[in-house]
């Protein structure tokens, strides 16, 4: 099949999908989002750590004082910027620039501990002097470390926060929101080192000036202790906080089966554990976690649509939905109840070889996202070869194609093989002339020469079409550098690809059975009126 025929088939398919998409269709209504619980704290959130979905929230963007849950962010920054065996020396400022009576590990100026020791002291014992010492170790001063905190928070998508110290002690310029703390906790618990520290039930600090025998410390978070009345099955860690201005604050992470949930309580009124239990129970009882790559064939099934009339799909088989990405569904909801949208504007954290970002919504709520991936090393179809790297210029491309074209002497040898008595001088003019110009050759070989000329002309046309297609592909890549670089292996332009995906998505989501079910429901409602 020629390239021209392939293009005509592809154009027909795109037109057909566009025609189908013109007619509006409506899916049957999905089961509603579960009604949320009631909590006593001023602010709170239930957040799916795997999908990023907000399952329940109360004043999630209101600003509150965080108290010591601030130390989650401090720990994450230290883990990412320091080695665990680095030695931290406690300064006078680190030890004494704290509120009297605040949480500490009984450390003194001049004590030397490893970064690892300080992290355990800060997370389990909520030691404020350890937070100060770590901040000074990483950034020289606590003020400079605060700048690192705000930059990190912004990179995680936080929009309601400003951090002014590493410990969370009272400061009018130190505040956050439930949603921001959920994002910070999500990043922290995705870090293996932090998750290990937060789940530890005890840790032995080495000898120090005030603790010559060393000091065994235990976590302040009661929900991970089996002997505590606040123990919660599945809880894997978190951080407590309290100041007179912040009230009780609490961050908790729990895992059951494929679900990992995060709760944040802000400005609690001594009900931070019951509020957390209430939200956790609501999440595990009313939602389930789904692997997107196991459910969504809307985008990858594009390959099957392109098998019409033998259109090759070798290059398109490299399209896939990213693995190990999840979304949150109500227990009685189905994946078919979701709607999806695709965007080619990729965020900085997008994985390598991502071509587009797919976002899923349920009942008006975002419940997860994934990426459409393109393999950079597909098996190419010899009949539909595309350049894997753009040439420096069209001239370079033509030079490359010319070098791969059959040499004139090869055609000459083919003609000589038909008539060994022919002289080279007689054949040279034949090779230099157009097949449409008069050719003076002996009559007994003009028919084979004509056949060869027609074959060469046909090959030349195919070669020109191939060169033209490759030139067009190179120009598209220059105009759409980022997206086209990722999509160059699938053999079509970005606009064609986007149109095909959009129409395929509409066709998949808006099926005829759902439309008929919706119409029946609508007629029933009208009849009842």
């Amino acid at each position: 099949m020629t390239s021209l025929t392939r293009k005509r088939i592809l154009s027909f398919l795109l037109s057909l999908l566009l025609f189908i998409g013109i007619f509006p269709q409506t899916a049957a209504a999905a089961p509603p989002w579960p009604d949320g619980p009631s909590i006593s704290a001023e602010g709170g959130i239930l957040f799916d750590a795997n999908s990023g979905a907000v399952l329940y929230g109360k004043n999630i963007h209101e600003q509150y004082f965080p108290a010591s849950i601030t130390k989650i962010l401090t720990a994450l920054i230290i883990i990412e910027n320091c080695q665990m065996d680095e030695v931290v020396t406690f300064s006078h400022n680190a030890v004494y620039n704290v509120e009297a009576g605040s949480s500490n590990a009984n450390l003194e100026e001049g004590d030397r501990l490893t970064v690892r020791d300080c992290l355990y002291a800060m997370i389990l014992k909520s030691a404020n002097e350890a937070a100060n010492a770590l901040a000074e170790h990483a950034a020289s001063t606590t003020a400079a470390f605060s700048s690192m905190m705000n930059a990190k928070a912004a990179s995680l998508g936080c929009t309601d926060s400003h951090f002014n110290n590493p410990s969370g002690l009272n400061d009018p310029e130190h505040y956050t929101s439930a949603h921001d703390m959920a994002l910070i906790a999500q990043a922290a618990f995705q870090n293996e080192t932090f998750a290990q520290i937060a789940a530890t039930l005890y840790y032995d600090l080495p000898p120090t000036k005030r603790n010559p025998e060393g000091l065994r410390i235990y976590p302040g978070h009661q929900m991970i202790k089996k002997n505590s009345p606040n123990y919660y099955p599945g809880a894997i860690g978190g951080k407590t906080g309290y100041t007179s201005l912040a009230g009780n604050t609490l961050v908790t992470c729990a895992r059951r089966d494929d679900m990992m949930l995060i709760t944040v309580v802000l400005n609690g009124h001594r009900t931070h554990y019951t509020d957390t239990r209430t939200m956790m129970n609501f999440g595990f009882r009313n939602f389930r976690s789904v692997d997107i790559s196991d459910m969504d064939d809307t985008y990858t099934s594009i390959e099957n649509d392109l098998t019409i009339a033998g259109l090759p799909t070798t290059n398109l088989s490299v399209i896939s939905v990213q693995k190990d990405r999840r979304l949150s569904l109500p227990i009685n909801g189905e994946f078919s109840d979701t709607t999806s949208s695709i965007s080619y504007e990729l965020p900085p954290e997008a994985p390598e070889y991502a071509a587009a970002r797919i976002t899923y919504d349920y009942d008006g709520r975002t419940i997860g996202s994934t990426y459409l991936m393109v393999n950079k090393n597909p098996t190419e179809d010899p009949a539909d070869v595309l350049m894997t790297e753009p040439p420096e210029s069209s001239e370079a491309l033509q030079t490359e194609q010319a070098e791969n074209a059959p040499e004139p002497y090869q055609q000459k040898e083919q003609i000589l093989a038909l008539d060994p008595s022919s002289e080279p001088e007689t054949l040279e003019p034949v090779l230099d002339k157009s097949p449409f110009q008069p050719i003076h050759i002996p009559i007994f070989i003009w028919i084979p020469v004509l056949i060869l000329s027609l074959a060469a002309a046909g090959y030349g046309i195919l070669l020109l079409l191939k060169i033209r297609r490759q030139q067009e592909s190179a120009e598209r890549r220059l105009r759409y550098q980022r997206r086209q670089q990722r999509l160059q292996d699938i053999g079509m332009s970005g606009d064609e690809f986007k149109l095909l995906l959009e129409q395929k998505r509409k066709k998949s989501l808006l099926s005829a059975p759902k439309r008929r079910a919706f119409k029946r429901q609508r007629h029933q409602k009208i009849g009842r009126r």
Side-chain angles (χ1 to χ4, degrees):
M1 181 182 296
T2 66
S3 298
L4 183 59
T5 304
R6 296 178 196 281
K7 286 187 176 181
R8 289 175 177 173
I9 294 174
L10 182 58
S11 298
F12 171 77
L13 179 61
L14 290 170
S15 300
L16 179 61
L17 290 175
L18 179 61
F19 178 75
I20 294 173
I22 291 175
F23 298 97
Q25 297 174 316
T26 306
W33 193 263
D35 292 331
S38 175
I39 63 174
S40 299
E42 294 297 321
I45 193 171
L46 173 65
F47 187 84
D48 190 325
N50 292 325
S51 68
V54 177
L55 307 184
Y56 164 79
K58 177 181 179 180
N59 299 326
I60 65 173
H61 291 290
E62 291 293 321
Q63 295 171 339
Y64 300 97
F65 297 120
S68 285
I69 61 176
T70 298
K71 295 175 176 121
I72 297 176
L73 178 58
T74 299
L76 180 60
I77 295 173
I78 294 298
I79 292 170
E80 292 179 343
N81 291 274
C82 301
Q83 299 297 317
M84 294 296 102
D85 293 329
E86 292 176 9
V87 176
V88 178
T89 301
F90 282 70
S91 69
H92 180 85
N93 179 75
V95 175
Y96 293 100
N97 189 17
V98 297
E99 294 180 7
S102 63
S103 300
N104 64 85
N106 202 28
L107 299 171
E108 179 58 276
E109 179 183 355
D111 282 340
R112 290 166 59 85
L113 297 177
T114 65
V115 167
R116 180 183 292 103
D117 294 332
C118 293
L119 285 169
Y120 276 96
M122 182 178 68
I123 296 300
L124 301 188
K125 197 71 169 63
S126 199
N128 291 315
E129 75 271 39
N132 286 341
L134 285 170
E136 292 178 348
H137 178 76
S140 298
T141 67
T142 55
F145 188 79
S146 297
S147 298
M148 295 178 64
M149 297 175 72
N150 290 311
K152 180 63 178 179
S155 72
L156 296 175
C158 299
T159 58
D160 310 314
S161 301
H162 184 269
F163 297 96
N164 219 31
N165 64 68
S167 62
L169 292 177
N170 288 328
D171 187 321
E173 297 301 319
H174 190 91
Y175 49 83
T176 189
S177 68
H179 186 262
D180 282 2
M181 279 309 306
L183 294 177
I184 293 169
Q186 179 189 34
F189 279 98
Q190 288 173 349
N191 184 289
E192 293 182 3
T193 300
F194 178 88
Q196 179 181 358
I197 295 173
T200 300
L201 296 177
Y202 69 89
Y203 184 81
D204 291 321
L205 292 175
T208 58
K209 292 180 179 181
R210 296 177 180 174
N211 304 302
E213 302 299 324
L215 180 67
R216 175 165 287 189
I217 56 177
Y218 301 90
H221 200 303
Q222 299 295 311
M223 301 187 87
I224 67 173
K225 300 178 180 180
K226 290 187 177 181
N227 61 348
S228 169
N230 292 313
Y231 173 71
Y232 189 81
I236 60 175
K239 186 71 188 73
T240 59
Y242 175 81
T243 68
S244 56
L245 295 179
N248 295 110
T249 63
L250 186 66
V251 172
T252 308
C253 183
R255 181 189 292 114
R256 292 183 185 177
D257 298 325
D258 294 328
M259 290 195 72
M260 188 165 80
L261 301 182
I262 291 172
T263 57
V264 179
V265 173
L266 294 176
N267 198 12
H269 308 288
R270 297 186 180 181
T271 60
H272 44 298
Y273 284 119
T274 56
D275 285 342
T276 295
R277 183 181 299 274
T278 297
M279 289 190 287
M280 285 289 186
N281 287 341
F282 170 74
F284 286 122
R285 292 171 182 172
N286 290 279
F287 296 92
R288 59 192 176 98
S289 180
V290 175
D291 190 318
I292 297 174
S293 62
D294 290 341
M295 303 296 295
D296 193 345
D297 61 357
T298 301
Y299 298 94
T300 54
S301 65
I302 185 177
E303 175 184 350
N304 297 326
D305 292 340
L306 296 178
T307 58
I308 298 175
L311 192 66
T313 62
T314 305
N315 287 328
L316 291 174
S317 64
V318 300
I319 302 173
S320 63
V321 174
Q322 186 185 16
K323 303 296 183 183
D324 300 324
R325 298 279 294 195
R326 309 189 75 84
L327 55 77
S328 308
L329 278 176
I331 287 293
N332 58 349
E334 299 295 336
F335 183 80
S336 58
D337 296 325
T338 68
T339 58
S340 61
S341 59
I342 188 166
S343 172
Y344 296 95
E345 297 297 327
L346 300 178
E349 66 272 16
E352 189 177 12
Y353 305 148
R357 186 171 188 262
I358 308 168
T359 301
Y360 299 87
D361 292 336
Y362 185 102
D363 196 17
R365 300 168 181 256
T366 298
I367 59 170
S369 65
T370 188
Y371 292 94
L372 195 62
M373 309 297 293
V374 176
N375 184 358
K376 294 295 287 184
N377 297 300
T379 302
E380 293 182 338
D381 187 340
D384 194 32
V385 177
L386 291 176
M387 294 182 299
T388 58
E389 295 295 337
E392 295 182 359
S393 65
S394 298
E395 182 179 354
L397 175 63
Q398 294 174 354
T399 301
E400 179 183 353
Q401 295 297 327
E403 290 175 353
N404 295 329
E407 297 290 343
Y409 74 86
Q410 294 175 337
Q411 297 183 19
K412 185 195 309 182
E413 289 179 349
Q414 294 172 359
I415 298 175
L416 286 174
L418 297 175
D419 183 15
S421 62
S422 301
E423 292 295 330
E425 293 82 58
T426 306
L427 295 172
E428 291 292 347
V430 174
L431 298 173
D432 293 336
K433 292 179 177 291
S434 167
F436 301 103
Q437 294 178 348
I439 301 175
H440 301 287
I441 60 174
I443 189 64
F444 56 85
I445 65 170
W446 76 269
I447 293 179
V449 171
L450 180 60
I451 293 174
L452 288 174
S453 300
L454 292 174
Y459 177 82
I461 293 174
L462 292 176
L463 184 60
L464 289 174
L465 289 174
K466 184 186 297 185
I467 293 174
R468 181 178 178 182
R469 181 179 58 190
Q470 291 174 328
Q471 289 175 331
E472 293 173 348
S473 178
E475 292 172 356
R476 287 195 301 269
R477 281 193 296 273
L478 291 175
R479 291 195 305 267
Y480 308 101
Q481 293 179 358
R482 185 173 186 181
R483 190 179 74 195
Q484 287 304 110
Q485 184 176 353
R486 292 188 173 96
L487 298 178
Q488 62 185 1
D489 296 323
I490 66 174
M492 65 175 66
S493 71
D495 291 339
E496 292 172 336
F497 183 69
K498 181 177 180 180
L499 176 61
L500 188 58
L501 288 180
E502 287 296 323
Q503 298 304 323
K504 175 59 185 173
R505 179 181 64 82
K506 292 179 181 178
K507 181 180 178 182
S508 175
L509 293 175
L510 307 177
S511 60
K514 288 184 178 181
R515 186 171 68 255
R516 289 195 294 269
F518 175 80
K519 288 182 178 179
R520 286 196 300 270
Q521 293 177 0
R522 184 173 60 183
H523 290 322
Q524 291 172 358
K525 290 180 180 179
I526 295 175
R528 286 196 295 268
R529 293 177 183 175

